[in-house]
Amino acid sequence: MKIPISHKATRRNQRWFFAVMIVLFVPCAFYLKLSYSQFADGVGRIPDIVKQFLQISPEDLPVLLRELLTSLIIAFLSVVISVFLSLLLSFLIADTTAPNRWIAKGLRLIVVIVRTIPTTIWVLLAVASMGFGSMAGVLGLLFPTTSFLIKSFTAQIDEAGKEPVEAIRALGGTWWHVVFNGAIPTLYTTFLALIAFNFEITVAETVILGMVGAGGIGVLLQEYISYYEFAPLLMGILVVFLTLFALELMTNRIRKRLARGAR
Amino acid sequence: MSSFLLEIKGLTKKYSAGTIALSGIDLQVKSKEFIAVIGPSGAGKSTLLRCINRLVEPSSGSIEFAGDRVDQANARELRRVRSQIGMIFQHYNLVNRLSVLENVLHGRLGYMSSIAGMFSRYSEEDKKKAIALLRKVGLENEMYKRADELSGGQKQRVGVCRALAQQPRLILADEPIASLDPKSSAVVMDAIHRNCAEQGIACLVNLHQVDVAKRYASRIIGIKNGKMVFDGPPEALTDHHAALIYEGKESQMYQQPVGEEPQDRRYA
Amino acid sequence: MKRADTIARQKKAKRLLSLLLFVAATIFSIWFIEFDIAEFMGGIPLFLNFLFVDFMPPNVNDLAKYVRPVLDTLAFGVVATVISSVIALVIAFLMAHNTAPHPAVRVALRSVVSLVRNVPFLVWASILVVLFGVGTMPGIFALILLGIGFLARLYAESIEEIDKHAVEAVEATGATYLQKLKQAIIPQFMPGYISWTLFMFEITIRASAILGLVGAGGIGSQIKLTMDLFQYGKTATVVTIMILMILGVEYVTQRIRERLL
């Protein structure tokens, strides 16, 4: 008999994980009935589309940049409004500063539900209610953005602990004193980093959501795709890529600084 | 072809930042020698050991191990040389999520084909020998535990077994007891010393405690600022010599240096 | 005393300046996209009214019809997660700096992955719909691209974070590159791999909401369909189903994580 060598529980867990992956994968792959001819047709179309892509021209660049600015503004405005809303609501929710436990619990539940609904659906609903345009974009983004910020803010407030809050309470300070003299000054930099991070996510989402009618560069991209105008589409993709890439670099630096500050 | 097991000539190591870790080290090691390398932290002890099996690339100089020029070896030759040199580390360097036995068997990888080693197809004989080694250091009940479930002293004994499993001709031990309490330190040093003596393995062990070095070594080498400043039998190492080697860092002579950063400066 | 005064004054001036900049940016923004504050404020009650009146009560007549899209979405998730995790795994080993065979390979792959990740998912999905036509295929491929962009980066970060000293020890025994990979790196990387792969599965369920919009199948297409027909009661039902799916998958993956790690 062979001598076993491995740690049994670790190996069993890993085998189990991969087994489940395979057991689920095979029937799912058959269930989806992916047809080879559809695949081959699609792949056959690639050279043609690449050729069209390569006729890239800067002709539409001014329009693209203008719409990119619109996208950035939509993201900016929704983040600004969200910051005000979530600052207020976070202090009502966080354990250390909540004035009423039951209100806090109720608000927490609402935040969870709002967060679970994907951003796309919020924007879709906003567009259906307000009509196409930037304002629907701002309104639709408000919900996921605010719920994200509330969640991050409350976590930070709770982490900061009870001491500063109790110190102000002991001096006879009101709830407003606690918020504006105790919590906000101490958490100022952390909040700024979170807001910057949130802005990156929101810009990425704004680009997508333009495609469902919420204004900005996404509207243009959607038009190019539906009219098969691949030359300007590639230009648009490049603009989006460079913007998101630059933003990612910026927030990475902010995140690193935040990590250093936390240590 | 020299009569020495290991012969180092003019070994120099310059790091890219410009610090000179070693300058012109000459050293001959005969088989079965048990050599303690002493010196303050940052003197270049770790770099010296790591140059021998080229975990650190030497800048210049020659290293000859059992007739092979290590410094000129290609990848395949280097692996063959490494398989004959066991290594023990200050922080044990076990693969935490594998079993103790698997960690010991890693010592056999250098003797197996790439594919067989990948899929852990160790021979039954290798497994039996590995278990025997673990029994010898008193870890036979721990062999199916995961490496991260062990205490520091136990982990280092596994590290010793991994080096011995290679059936090496030379063992390089880099501060093997610097992270251990005195009791575990004695157990680990005894295990290294006894096995090397029994199996005729030469050993180079970095230590900063002079008393430990004197107790075990058949020969002591002192290193300071990348240069060899002492080479002789333990009896010849007087307090005067020791004081010279550790000049300005006397506090490190008998205990673990306080405030040493384990991550970044370990190899400097 | 004077110096403290100047510093305080400078700080004050700086704060005032950033405040002014912020106000200017906001005013410019409002002007540039013709943001009508009154209309916006008026739109909020209308929106809430729309949510709570037009959508209520949820119309549950077609429940049986939604079974298939739910299964589709789950199958999408499984297939896309498995395929992208395999591809991303290979890419991650080639682009993590402690396992990359050559720096040039690393840099090249990093830029490709960054491109895949930073082109919005919906753009990929739309292009794939143009290529393969409406149906499940573009949806699957879009999710796989999303997964590759997302997982390759996270896997590579996990690989770079593992204990390099254990790897060094295995290297010192004379192990080959492949042995080092399998015996020292992969065992340490497993927790990261399992955790991120499970997370990817959660993301595919959320992403299927987007996929439906471009006709790439899944539960998202039911949302689009019912809204286009103004059957908001049905939309409410579909959205509820989707929320339950997301929460259910999150619960299951969380349990698996607790058991395995």
Side-chain angles (χ1 to χ4, degrees):
Chain A
M1 210 194 93
K2 282 195 173 170
I3 303 168
I5 59 169
S6 52
H7 184 261
K8 286 205 187 71
T10 307
R11 196 184 53 170
R12 184 177 359 98
N13 282 343
Q14 283 168 9
R15 290 206 170 158
W16 188 82
F17 182 78
F18 288 111
V20 169
M21 247 167 100
I22 294 166
V23 166
L24 283 175
F25 176 74
V26 174
C28 285
F30 279 106
Y31 170 82
L32 289 174
K33 296 196 192 86
L34 299 169
S35 88
Y36 178 73
S37 64
Q38 193 189 1
F39 176 72
D41 285 354
V43 172
R45 252 172 250 142
I46 288 178
D48 188 39
I49 286 184
V50 169
K51 209 185 290 166
Q52 295 186 46
F53 264 131
L54 289 180
Q55 292 164 350
I56 179 169
S57 74
E59 191 188 327
D60 279 13
L61 194 57
V63 200
L64 279 167
L65 289 178
R66 193 190 149 84
E67 289 303 311
L68 175 70
L69 183 59
T70 310
S71 280
L72 288 173
I73 285 174
I74 293 171
F76 174 70
L77 285 179
S78 51
V79 170
V80 168
I81 301 173
S82 297
V83 168
F84 284 112
L85 282 175
S86 46
L87 270 183
L88 186 68
L89 290 171
S90 300
F91 288 102
L92 291 176
I93 291 176
D95 287 335
T96 46
T97 53
N100 180 308
R101 219 151 54 87
W102 293 107
I103 293 176
K105 275 209 167 131
L107 284 172
R108 228 176 242 274
L109 184 69
I110 294 173
V111 171
V112 169
I113 295 173
V114 170
R115 265 174 66 78
T116 312
I117 299 177
T119 313
T120 328
I121 292 179
W122 281 117
V123 175
L124 216 55
L125 294 174
V127 171
S129 161
M130 270 195 164
F132 289 99
S134 322
M135 294 218 303
V138 175
L139 179 65
L141 282 167
L142 220 51
F143 292 86
T145 311
T146 309
S147 61
F148 174 88
L149 285 176
I150 289 179
K151 192 182 171 243
S152 328
F153 284 174
T154 45
Q156 292 299 328
I157 298 168
D158 282 338
E159 211 169 277
K162 278 193 174 329
E163 287 93 30
V165 175
E166 275 169 354
I168 293 175
R169 285 249 167 85
L171 293 171
T174 63
W175 187 78
W176 294 101
H177 285 132
V178 169
V179 170
F180 284 99
N181 300 335
I184 288 185
T186 40
L187 294 167
Y188 183 66
T189 37
T190 322
F191 278 13
L192 275 186
L194 283 170
I195 293 167
F197 181 53
N198 182 237
F199 183 65
E200 181 198 335
I201 303 175
T202 311
V203 170
E205 265 161 358
T206 323
V207 175
I208 294 187
L209 299 168
M211 298 179 79
V212 294
I217 195 166
V219 180
L220 272 181
L221 296 182
Q222 186 57 50
E223 276 173 17
Y224 294 148
I225 292 170
S226 24
Y227 295 112
Y228 300 104
E229 293 174 14
F230 292 104
L233 176 61
L234 183 59
M235 195 69 217
I237 289 176
L238 281 179
V239 169
V240 168
F241 168 70
L242 290 176
T243 313
L244 294 184
F245 189 67
L247 264 174
E248 191 183 293
L249 287 184
M250 266 162 61
T251 41
N252 269 351
R253 278 179 59 180
I254 292 172
R255 240 187 295 179
K256 261 179 205 154
R257 207 181 303 162
L258 179 71
R260 221 179 304 141
R263 210 185 298 154
Chain B
M1 177 109 185
S2 69
S3 59
F4 297 108
L5 176 65
L6 175 72
E7 187 163 17
I8 298 171
K9 281 183 196 152
L11 175 63
T12 298
K13 173 64 191 175
K14 243 183 263 173
Y15 281 105
S16 49
T19 40
I20 297 170
L22 295 173
S23 56
I25 298 276
D26 295 302
L27 172 67
Q28 292 88 30
V29 179
K30 286 189 274 227
S31 50
K32 299 178 194 172
E33 270 192 300
F34 197 96
I35 303 177
V37 183
I38 60 168
S41 60
K45 304 191 301 284
S46 260
T47 308
L48 172 63
L49 253 56
R50 282 179 160 72
C51 280
I52 293 171
N53 63 2
R54 273 180 50 193
L55 285 180
V56 167
E57 285 295 329
S59 307
S60 65
S62 74
I63 301 164
E64 197 175 322
F65 175 79
D68 289 314
R69 279 291 292 272
V70 182
D71 52 305
Q72 292 172 350
N74 62 26
R76 177 186 291 267
E77 289 160 358
L78 180 62
R79 283 201 300 274
R80 203 168 55 82
V81 168
R82 280 178 177 169
S83 69
Q84 298 175 45
I85 302 179
M87 193 156 192
I88 298 166
F89 302 83
Q90 178 183 351
H91 297 282
Y92 335 120
N93 296 17
L94 303 180
V95 181
N96 276 332
R97 291 180 52 84
L98 293 182
S99 73
V100 166
L101 188 53
E102 282 174 301
N103 270 289
V104 175
L105 284 165
H106 281 166
R108 300 309 300 163
L109 289 174
Y111 296 97
M112 301 165 78
S113 78
S114 199
I115 301 297
M118 256 179 95
F119 295 104
S120 309
R121 309 203 60 94
Y122 304 105
S123 71
E124 295 305 299
E125 203 195 328
D126 282 350
K127 292 181 196 170
K128 279 181 195 143
K129 279 185 187 163
I131 294 169
L133 283 170
L134 283 169
R135 188 170 300 133
K136 220 170 160 184
V137 298
L139 288 175
E140 69 268 35
N141 295 327
E142 271 75 26
M143 67 184 190
Y144 291 120
K145 281 193 179 162
R146 239 164 65 167
D148 52 9
E149 297 173 51
L150 301 186
S151 70
Q154 290 175 321
K155 282 183 184 170
Q156 191 60 297
R157 280 183 269 159
V158 177
V160 172
C161 288
R162 174 174 62 194
L164 290 170
Q166 291 179 240
Q167 295 178 315
R169 303 181 64 179
L170 172 69
I171 282 184
L172 307 170
D174 185 22
E175 299 279 8
I177 56 169
S179 310
L180 299 179
D181 60 82
K183 212 176 144 203
S184 309
S185 296
V187 173
V188 166
M189 279 310 294
D190 284 341
I192 297 174
H193 188 254
R194 194 181 62 222
N195 280 293
C196 284
E198 281 172 13
Q199 293 163 47
I201 303 168
C203 185
L204 269 173
V205 53
N206 282 349
L207 290 168
H208 53 257
Q209 305 97 321
V210 177
D211 52 338
V212 180
K214 280 186 150 180
R215 196 174 325 136
Y216 290 96
S218 61
R219 179 176 158 197
I220 289 183
I221 285 167
I223 290 198
K224 187 185 177 187
N225 297 333
K227 291 199 179 76
M228 202 190 286
V229 293
F230 179 86
D231 184 358
E235 307 82 60
L237 184 82
T238 60
D239 288 352
H240 171 70
H241 284 120
L244 219 65
I245 295 169
Y246 284 90
E247 192 181 4
K249 293 183 179 175
E250 286 81 2
S251 62
Q252 295 181 2
M253 281 168 72
Y254 298 102
Q255 65 205 11
Q256 183 175 350
V258 179
E260 188 185 29
E261 300 141 73
Q263 291 301 320
D264 308 327
R265 288 200 45 88
R266 266 171 65 196
Y267 305 150
Chain C
M1 261 339 248
K2 252 198 179 147
R3 243 190 92 210
D5 256 14
T6 354
I7 289 172
R9 210 178 305 142
Q10 273 176 353
K11 234 182 179 176
K12 216 173 173 184
K14 227 175 171 180
R15 204 175 289 172
L16 198 68
L17 192 70
S18 16
L19 194 69
L20 276 176
L21 271 176
F22 171 75
V23 171
T26 311
I27 291 171
F28 171 78
S29 298
I30 290 171
W31 168 77
F32 189 84
I33 64 167
E34 292 159 13
F35 191 84
D36 188 332
I37 296 174
E39 199 189 323
F40 186 76
M41 296 305 261
I44 291 173
L46 285 180
F47 180 64
L48 292 177
N49 185 54
F50 175 64
L51 278 191
F52 291 106
V53 177
D54 290 6
F55 279 78
M56 297 296 148
N59 181 334
V60 290
N61 295 338
D62 287 346
L63 271 187
K65 240 175 78 185
Y66 304 136
V67 173
R68 196 172 158 101
V70 166
L71 287 179
D72 275 351
T73 304
L74 290 172
F76 268 30
V78 170
V79 172
T81 304
V82 172
I83 294 180
S84 58
S85 81
V86 171
I87 299 174
L89 190 65
V90 176
I91 295 178
F93 276 108
L94 295 175
M95 77 181 221
H97 66 65
N98 49 348
T99 53
H102 194 275
V105 177
R106 196 184 83 216
V107 174
L109 278 175
R110 260 183 203 274
S111 3
V112 172
V113 167
S114 163
L115 181 77
V116 170
R117 193 177 54 244
N118 280 319
V119 171
F121 174 59
L122 201 53
V123 174
W124 282 124
S126 308
I127 294 174
L128 288 164
V129 168
V130 171
L131 269 181
F132 296 105
V134 175
T136 50
M137 193 170 276
I140 283 286
F141 286 152
L143 284 175
I144 290 174
L145 279 178
L146 174 78
I148 292 173
F150 176 77
L151 287 176
R153 178 195 188 192
L154 291 168
Y155 286 167
E157 276 173 12
S158 300
I159 294 170
E160 284 165 2
E161 274 166 19
I162 65 168
D163 175 18
K164 58 179 183 287
H165 304 303
V167 182
E168 188 189 32
V170 172
E171 196 176 359
T173 67
T176 62
Y177 174 78
L178 288 176
Q179 289 175 343
K180 208 167 66 180
L181 212 62
K182 176 66 197 339
Q183 295 288 350
I185 293 169
I186 290 180
Q188 299 189 69
F189 164 59
M190 281 315 293
Y193 175 79
I194 291 176
S195 188
W196 289 127
T197 308
L198 288 172
F199 190 39
M200 178 63 209
F201 184 56
E202 290 170 29
I203 286 185
T204 55
I205 306 293
R206 290 180 155 267
S208 64
I210 306 177
L211 278 183
L213 303 180
V214 291
I219 190 90
S221 48
Q222 293 297 318
I223 295 173
K224 176 108 163 78
L225 191 73
T226 52
M227 282 185 71
D228 285 351
L229 298 173
F230 304 109
Q231 299 170 328
Y232 295 125
K234 287 184 183 171
T235 313
T237 312
V238 179
V239 170
T240 311
I241 291 174
M242 189 159 179
I243 293 174
L244 291 177
M245 278 177 78
I246 292 172
L247 290 176
V249 167
E250 270 174 19
Y251 176 76
V252 170
T253 51
Q254 195 49 41
R255 287 298 299 274
I256 297 176
R257 264 191 208 109
E258 279 162 15
R259 280 217 40 198
L260 291 194
L261 306 178

